[in-house]
PDB file of all heavy atoms in Angstrom:
ATOM      1  N   SER A  89       0.486  15.543  -9.263  1.00 84.00           N
ATOM      2  CA  SER A  89      -0.675  16.414  -9.464  1.00 84.00           C
ATOM      3  C   SER A  89      -1.944  15.637  -9.807  1.00 84.00           C
ATOM      4  O   SER A  89      -3.050  16.068  -9.453  1.00 84.00           O
ATOM      5  CB  SER A  89      -0.377  17.435 -10.568  1.00 84.00           C
ATOM      6  OG  SER A  89      -0.050  16.773 -11.789  1.00 84.00           O
ATOM      7  N   SER A  90      -1.815  14.488 -10.451  1.00 83.00           N
ATOM      8  CA  SER A  90      -2.993  13.720 -10.847  1.00 83.00           C
ATOM      9  C   SER A  90      -3.747  13.151  -9.648  1.00 83.00           C
ATOM     10  O   SER A  90      -4.898  12.739  -9.776  1.00 83.00           O
ATOM     11  CB  SER A  90      -2.590  12.572 -11.783  1.00 83.00           C
ATOM     12  OG  SER A  90      -1.854  11.584 -11.091  1.00 83.00           O
ATOM     13  N   ARG A  91      -3.113  13.162  -8.468  1.00 87.00           N
ATOM     14  CA  ARG A  91      -3.718  12.544  -7.296  1.00 87.00           C
ATOM     15  C   ARG A  91      -4.305  13.558  -6.307  1.00 87.00           C
ATOM     16  O   ARG A  91      -4.957  13.173  -5.348  1.00 87.00           O
ATOM     17  CB  ARG A  91      -2.693  11.672  -6.574  1.00 87.00           C
ATOM     18  CG  ARG A  91      -2.099  10.556  -7.431  1.00 87.00           C
ATOM     19  CD  ARG A  91      -1.508   9.483  -6.580  1.00 87.00           C
ATOM     20  NE  ARG A  91      -2.524   8.900  -5.708  1.00 87.00           N
ATOM     21  CZ  ARG A  91      -2.243   8.160  -4.639  1.00 87.00           C
ATOM     22  NH1 ARG A  91      -0.985   7.925  -4.311  1.00 87.00           N
ATOM     23  NH2 ARG A  91      -3.207   7.670  -3.884  1.00 87.00           N
ATOM     24  N   GLN A  92      -4.079  14.830  -6.566  1.00 89.00           N
ATOM     25  CA  GLN A  92      -4.481  15.820  -5.566  1.00 89.00           C
ATOM     26  C   GLN A  92      -5.992  15.910  -5.379  1.00 89.00           C
ATOM     27  O   GLN A  92      -6.471  16.249  -4.304  1.00 89.00           O
ATOM     28  CB  GLN A  92      -3.874  17.174  -5.919  1.00 89.00           C
ATOM     29  CG  GLN A  92      -2.354  17.180  -5.762  1.00 89.00           C
ATOM     30  CD  GLN A  92      -1.691  18.497  -6.122  1.00 89.00           C
ATOM     31  OE1 GLN A  92      -2.361  19.443  -6.540  1.00 89.00           O
ATOM     32  NE2 GLN A  92      -0.375  18.545  -5.977  1.00 89.00           N
ATOM     33  N   GLY A  93      -6.757  15.564  -6.413  1.00 89.00           N
ATOM     34  CA  GLY A  93      -8.212  15.604  -6.285  1.00 89.00           C
ATOM     35  C   GLY A  93      -8.784  14.505  -5.422  1.00 89.00           C
ATOM     36  O   GLY A  93      -9.959  14.563  -5.028  1.00 89.00           O
ATOM     37  N   GLU A  94      -7.976  13.498  -5.104  1.00 92.00           N
ATOM     38  CA  GLU A  94      -8.453  12.381  -4.288  1.00 92.00           C
ATOM     39  C   GLU A  94      -8.782  12.784  -2.860  1.00 92.00           C
ATOM     40  O   GLU A  94      -9.544  12.093  -2.172  1.00 92.00           O
ATOM     41  CB  GLU A  94      -7.402  11.263  -4.258  1.00 92.00           C
ATOM     42  CG  GLU A  94      -7.113  10.635  -5.604  1.00 92.00           C
ATOM     43  CD  GLU A  94      -5.968   9.644  -5.529  1.00 92.00           C
ATOM     44  OE1 GLU A  94      -5.730   9.089  -4.438  1.00 92.00           O
ATOM     45  OE2 GLU A  94      -5.290   9.425  -6.548  1.00 92.00           O
ATOM     46  N   VAL A  95      -8.207  13.889  -2.390  1.00 95.00           N
ATOM     47  CA  VAL A  95      -8.372  14.244  -0.981  1.00 95.00           C
ATOM     48  C   VAL A  95      -9.772  14.744  -0.663  1.00 95.00           C
ATOM     49  O   VAL A  95     -10.177  14.744   0.500  1.00 95.00           O
ATOM     50  CB  VAL A  95      -7.331  15.308  -0.552  1.00 95.00           C
ATOM     51  CG1 VAL A  95      -5.926  14.840  -0.841  1.00 95.00           C
ATOM     52  CG2 VAL A  95      -7.600  16.649  -1.230  1.00 95.00           C
ATOM     53  N   GLY A  96     -10.537  15.156  -1.669  1.00 94.00           N
ATOM     54  CA  GLY A  96     -11.847  15.737  -1.415  1.00 94.00           C
ATOM     55  C   GLY A  96     -12.789  14.792  -0.688  1.00 94.00           C
ATOM     56  O   GLY A  96     -13.401  15.159   0.327  1.00 94.00           O
ATOM     57  N   GLU A  97     -12.933  13.576  -1.180  1.00 95.00           N
ATOM     58  CA  GLU A  97     -13.832  12.613  -0.564  1.00 95.00           C
ATOM     59  C   GLU A  97     -13.314  12.184   0.811  1.00 95.00           C
ATOM     60  O   GLU A  97     -14.092  11.983   1.748  1.00 95.00           O
ATOM     61  CB  GLU A  97     -14.000  11.399  -1.471  1.00 95.00           C
ATOM     62  CG  GLU A  97     -15.102  10.457  -1.042  1.00 95.00           C
ATOM     63  CD  GLU A  97     -16.486  11.094  -1.103  1.00 95.00           C
ATOM     64  OE1 GLU A  97     -16.686  12.024  -1.906  1.00 95.00           O
ATOM     65  OE2 GLU A  97     -17.355  10.650  -0.327  1.00 95.00           O
ATOM     66  N   ILE A  98     -12.001  12.059   0.921  1.00 96.00           N
ATOM     67  CA  ILE A  98     -11.408  11.688   2.210  1.00 96.00           C
ATOM     68  C   ILE A  98     -11.690  12.768   3.250  1.00 96.00           C
ATOM     69  O   ILE A  98     -12.030  12.468   4.409  1.00 96.00           O
ATOM     70  CB  ILE A  98      -9.886  11.478   2.064  1.00 96.00           C
ATOM     71  CG1 ILE A  98      -9.592  10.364   1.058  1.00 96.00           C
ATOM     72  CG2 ILE A  98      -9.257  11.181   3.417  1.00 96.00           C
ATOM     73  CD1 ILE A  98     -10.116   9.009   1.429  1.00 96.00           C
ATOM     74  N   ARG A  99     -11.555  14.007   2.858  1.00 96.00           N
ATOM     75  CA  ARG A  99     -11.840  15.124   3.762  1.00 96.00           C
ATOM     76  C   ARG A  99     -13.285  15.060   4.269  1.00 96.00           C
ATOM     77  O   ARG A  99     -13.553  15.260   5.464  1.00 96.00           O
ATOM     78  CB  ARG A  99     -11.583  16.453   3.056  1.00 96.00           C
ATOM     79  CG  ARG A  99     -11.856  17.673   3.940  1.00 96.00           C
ATOM     80  CD  ARG A  99     -11.774  18.967   3.170  1.00 96.00           C
ATOM     81  NE  ARG A  99     -10.414  19.292   2.760  1.00 96.00           N
ATOM     82  CZ  ARG A  99      -9.984  19.253   1.497  1.00 96.00           C
ATOM     83  NH1 ARG A  99     -10.820  18.873   0.523  1.00 96.00           N
ATOM     84  NH2 ARG A  99      -8.753  19.595   1.209  1.00 96.00           N
ATOM     85  N   LYS A 100     -14.223  14.768   3.369  1.00 96.00           N
ATOM     86  CA  LYS A 100     -15.630  14.692   3.754  1.00 96.00           C
ATOM     87  C   LYS A 100     -15.861  13.624   4.809  1.00 96.00           C
ATOM     88  O   LYS A 100     -16.594  13.837   5.779  1.00 96.00           O
ATOM     89  CB  LYS A 100     -16.490  14.392   2.516  1.00 96.00           C
ATOM     90  CG  LYS A 100     -16.586  15.525   1.517  1.00 96.00           C
ATOM     91  CD  LYS A 100     -17.440  15.104   0.322  1.00 96.00           C
ATOM     92  CE  LYS A 100     -17.500  16.193  -0.726  1.00 96.00           C
ATOM     93  NZ  LYS A 100     -18.281  15.770  -1.920  1.00 96.00           N
ATOM     94  N   VAL A 101     -15.248  12.472   4.626  1.00 96.00           N
ATOM     95  CA  VAL A 101     -15.440  11.373   5.576  1.00 96.00           C
ATOM     96  C   VAL A 101     -14.823  11.714   6.928  1.00 96.00           C
ATOM     97  O   VAL A 101     -15.441  11.506   7.979  1.00 96.00           O
ATOM     98  CB  VAL A 101     -14.835  10.070   5.016  1.00 96.00           C
ATOM     99  CG1 VAL A 101     -14.892   8.968   6.063  1.00 96.00           C
ATOM    100  CG2 VAL A 101     -15.558   9.644   3.753  1.00 96.00           C
ATOM    101  N   LEU A 102     -13.604  12.230   6.894  1.00 97.00           N
ATOM    102  CA  LEU A 102     -12.905  12.531   8.146  1.00 97.00           C
ATOM    103  C   LEU A 102     -13.615  13.639   8.925  1.00 97.00           C
ATOM    104  O   LEU A 102     -13.749  13.560  10.156  1.00 97.00           O
ATOM    105  CB  LEU A 102     -11.467  12.938   7.856  1.00 97.00           C
ATOM    106  CG  LEU A 102     -10.539  11.820   7.353  1.00 97.00           C
ATOM    107  CD1 LEU A 102      -9.232  12.410   6.851  1.00 97.00           C
ATOM    108  CD2 LEU A 102     -10.275  10.802   8.463  1.00 97.00           C
ATOM    109  N   LYS A 103     -14.062  14.635   8.228  1.00 95.00           N
ATOM    110  CA  LYS A 103     -14.663  15.791   8.898  1.00 95.00           C
ATOM    111  C   LYS A 103     -16.153  15.591   9.165  1.00 95.00           C
ATOM    112  O   LYS A 103     -16.641  15.837  10.277  1.00 95.00           O
ATOM    113  CB  LYS A 103     -14.451  17.045   8.052  1.00 95.00           C
ATOM    114  CG  LYS A 103     -14.806  18.343   8.759  1.00 95.00           C
ATOM    115  CD  LYS A 103     -14.362  19.547   7.930  1.00 95.00           C
ATOM    116  CE  LYS A 103     -14.590  20.844   8.679  1.00 95.00           C
ATOM    117  NZ  LYS A 103     -14.096  22.021   7.899  1.00 95.00           N
TER     118      LYS A 103
END
Side-chain angles (χ1 to χ4, degrees):
S89 59
S90 69
R91 301 200 60 196
Q92 292 179 358
E94 297 174 26
V95 304
E97 191 64 27
I98 300 298
R99 180 188 290 110
K100 290 179 183 178
V101 174
L102 290 169
K103 191 171 185 177

